[in-house]
Amino acid sequence: MKNLYRYNPDRLTQTQLWLLLLSGVLTEQNEVRHDTLYGYEATKEHIYLVKQALERDWGIRNREDLYSSLNWLLHSGHRTDFNRNFRYISLLPYSLEEKELNRIPSGTSLYNSYQLSKLNKYILPRAGIAAWDFGRYITLCRDGALIKYISDKEAWELMAKIGPMAQQSYSSWYEYGLAYMVGRLAWLDKLTEENVKWHVDLLRRLLFKEDSPWLKIPWDIALDI
């Protein structure tokens, strides 16, 4: 554990890099660094932009707001409602799936949640979209450290809570990435062919691109926490 919190921005441990990669999808999407705590350079401009984004997207204006959001993601998050729907659909026989979907107005959040559950019932593990909450948790820790709502040491301590949970929930970067993408699509509530393709292409880059950070560190490393 001592090594995890000895933060050297020029030389992170394998565990530290692995933890940062739990936010890899959003990091790749934003085209920022996977291998530094902040991802961004700590310039006044970046700090301002991240503060604005946290307030706009999360209602986070201070340290207390940040901790409130982190606790929600840790203990409940978006996975609570979605995973309930996912388990319900997963237990339905194939012959009843369409009947269940047809009783719900198309385009609604519930319909999209059921549709995503139906499409992924055989490939999502029991943890469902917990990866979506885990990835956002890591991102909030990184952003919170950048804008100094929390210290770097606090960020690593907080992220360390997620590592074992993620490894117990998923068996590979593939499983984790798929669950994250399904969670993001459920959150966006825009289940269109174009939107799905964009997300699949992003996930494919992380899973198969030669220089992908997910290919450099195995999912099942022993975490030093």
Side-chain angles (χ1 to χ4, degrees):
M1 183 176 293
K2 180 172 63 176
N3 291 333
L4 178 62
Y5 307 137
R6 188 184 300 135
Y7 177 54
N8 179 349
D10 298 318
R11 190 171 182 178
L12 300 185
T13 67
Q14 287 283 285
T15 294
Q16 287 172 321
L17 289 167
W18 187 93
L19 289 171
L20 296 181
L21 291 181
L22 292 176
S23 64
V25 177
L26 188 58
T27 304
E28 186 77 6
Q29 177 186 335
N30 291 340
E31 298 182 333
V32 295
R33 294 185 63 169
H34 294 274
D35 59 350
T36 68
L37 176 59
Y38 304 153
Y40 303 87
E41 290 185 29
T43 63
K44 289 183 178 180
E45 179 184 8
H46 283 148
I47 291 171
Y48 173 80
L49 290 174
V50 169
K51 279 186 175 181
Q52 291 296 305
L54 288 181
E55 183 172 351
R56 180 191 66 236
D57 299 336
W58 288 89
I60 294 175
R61 299 176 179 83
N62 51 49
R63 174 185 175 86
E64 290 71 28
D65 291 340
L66 175 62
Y67 264 94
S68 177
S69 292
L70 288 171
N71 286 330
W72 177 73
L73 288 169
L74 181 66
H75 299 293
S76 178
H78 290 102
R79 64 189 179 276
T80 300
D81 289 337
F82 180 90
N83 287 356
R84 180 170 56 247
N85 297 332
F86 172 65
R87 285 190 282 270
Y88 176 72
I89 289 292
S90 297
L91 292 173
L92 283 178
Y94 180 79
S95 59
L96 294 180
E97 287 178 353
E98 287 302 320
K99 182 179 179 180
E100 188 67 16
L101 280 169
N102 288 337
R103 75 175 182 83
I104 304 169
S106 62
T108 63
S109 295
L110 182 59
Y111 180 89
N112 290 337
S113 178
Y114 274 25
Q115 186 75 285
L116 283 165
S117 298
K118 175 178 178 290
L119 292 171
N120 295 280
K121 66 183 291 186
Y122 298 112
I123 49 180
L124 268 184
R126 183 169 177 78
I129 66 164
W132 168 240
D133 292 323
F134 297 162
R136 299 186 92 197
Y137 183 102
I138 298 295
T139 297
L140 283 186
C141 288
R142 299 176 73 180
D143 288 347
L146 170 66
I147 64 177
K148 300 308 177 190
Y149 285 172
I150 55 175
S151 67
D152 292 356
K153 181 176 183 293
E154 283 178 291
W156 292 117
E157 290 172 344
L158 289 165
M159 289 190 289
K161 297 178 182 180
I162 294 295
M165 294 174 65
Q167 282 191 331
Q168 291 164 16
S169 299
Y170 304 100
S171 64
S172 64
W173 286 117
Y174 173 82
E175 267 195 3
Y176 179 84
L178 175 66
Y180 182 97
M181 284 304 192
V182 173
R184 180 173 169 81
L185 286 168
W187 171 74
L188 284 172
D189 205 18
K190 295 178 181 177
L191 197 57
T192 64
E193 182 177 351
E194 180 182 3
N195 201 24
V196 171
K197 181 182 183 303
W198 186 90
H199 282 81
V200 169
D201 288 344
L202 177 58
L203 181 57
R204 187 179 289 118
R205 292 208 306 269
L206 280 167
L207 290 172
F208 303 115
K209 190 178 177 183
E210 187 175 343
D211 61 349
S212 167
W214 279 5
L215 297 181
K216 297 177 181 177
I217 301 181
W219 173 261
D220 56 353
I221 67 168
L223 298 176
D224 184 20
I225 55 180

